[in-house]
Amino acid sequence: MHEEYLKAYGVRMSLNFVPRVWVIGTGRIFFGLGLIGLGGQHFFFKEFVPMVVPLWPAWIPGRLFWVFLVGAILIACGGAIVAGVKARLAATLLGGLFLVSVVLLHIPGNLMAGVSSLEGWADALTALTFAGGGFVVA
């Protein structure tokens, strides 16, 4: 019914008026800026963003070093994607890192904690979305 209304008033359901190259470029910029923002949070709060690293094993020393390293990687890769310098490599690297985070940190942590609500899986699903976004941008 909604489609009939749109057709009756001559509204088209397409983005043909926007060049595809603009849509792709704009999406790449927003993705890169989001990554830069996530990386900046690591430096500002001096903690892992839970969506990126939900649990950090206590037996691994130098937590602050790893927080800053992850933040620097996010900022550098986000900047590369925005600038278009080695963007494919940066996006592939980030997609892989987010996927590793989901598989090795989020899923085991949530299963061990007995998380049974969708809200409890939100960070894992967001990280999975960023992994997919990285692979799409690549």
Side-chain angles (χ1 to χ4, degrees), residues 53-64:
V53 178
L55 301 170
W56 187 254
W59 56 269
I60 299 177
R63 177 184 170 92
L64 193 58

Side-chain angles (χ1 to χ4, degrees), residues 22-41:
W22 288 5
V23 173
I24 293 169
T26 303
R28 186 174 285 174
I29 289 170
F30 282 126
F31 184 73
L33 290 175
L35 293 169
I36 292 169
L38 283 176
Q41 287 180 351

Side-chain angles (χ1 to χ4, degrees), residues 52-115:
V52 179
V53 178
L55 301 170
W56 187 254
W59 56 269
I60 299 177
R63 177 184 170 92
L64 193 58
F65 166 77
W66 293 106
V67 168
F68 288 156
L69 179 65
V70 169
I73 290 171
L74 288 169
I75 290 171
C77 289
I81 290 169
V82 169
V85 177
K86 303 274 186 187
R88 180 170 286 176
L89 176 64
T92 303
L93 172 71
L94 280 173
L97 290 175
F98 274 107
L99 188 58
V100 165
S101 173
V102 170
V103 171
L104 296 181
L105 299 173
H106 287 281
I107 292 174
N110 283 351
L111 291 176
M112 288 189 316
V115 176

Side-chain angles (χ1 to χ4, degrees), residues 7 62 95 120:
K7 284 181 183 177

